[in-house]
Every structure is written in C-alpha cells, then in structure tokens.
Amino acid sequence: MERREQERQKVSLSVEVLDPPHLGKVQLRTRDLSKKGAFILMSRGKCLPVGRVLSLRMPGVLWGEETSTVSARVIHVTDEGMGLQFLDFDF
C-alpha cells in the first residue's frame, strides 16, 4: 500500500526544465502535484537518474505568483515519467 505525506492532486500543468542545461528548455506536463512534489510525464529514456537535482519553472497560480522556479530531486522513474520531490519550496 502506497503511503504519502501529502495528498496528490491530478493536475496537468506546463513545466519548463531549466537545468540541467544539456536538456535545453524542455516543455513537459505534470500528471499530478502535491505540496511536496510532482510527477512529470516523459519517456523513460529521457528521464534523469534518481537523485539528480533539476530546476523547473511552473505556473505559480497555486502560490499566488505568475510563475515559480523551484529545485527538485528525482526520487523515482517509471515508463510514464519521473517523480520529483521539491527541495526549496514551502507553501
């Protein structure tokens, strides 16, 4: 049984990966979002390895801003994409 600290909300948002730079500015979609992280849809072959830290730009309407830039760590990878944990983000 899966146990989570925060409830996930099914939401599709446009997310831009700013770093690592070798990816370029990649536009992706979220599958779900919580206060602690997000699941980003992308093919397994393009996912970053578990433990890698990346920088994202997301719509900030959830946080009262036009856009937000956050750091996140890859915590798991599946055939559908990668699960991220936000590192420098507080509601």
Side-chain angles (χ1 to χ4, degrees), residues 5-75:
E5 285 183 36
Q6 298 292 322
E7 183 178 331
R8 289 184 174 188
Q9 300 297 318
K10 298 275 185 201
V11 62
S12 179
L13 298 173
S14 178
V15 176
E16 183 179 12
V17 177
L18 303 174
D19 184 57
H22 75 274
L23 288 179
K25 288 189 178 180
V26 181
Q27 292 286 332
L28 302 169
R29 303 288 304 171
T30 62
R31 181 182 72 188
D32 53 55
L33 182 69
S34 77
K35 291 180 179 180
K36 300 283 185 175
F39 190 88
I40 305 297
L41 297 168
M42 66 188 315
S43 67
R44 181 184 284 270
K46 293 184 180 179
C47 289
L48 297 170
V50 171
R52 180 72 154 105
V53 174
L54 59 148
S55 177
L56 305 168
R57 182 176 296 137
M58 308 172 63
V61 293
L62 300 173
W63 308 283
E65 302 172 6
E66 188 172 324
T67 60
S68 295
T69 301
V70 298
S71 294
R73 176 177 290 116
V74 178
I75 56 170

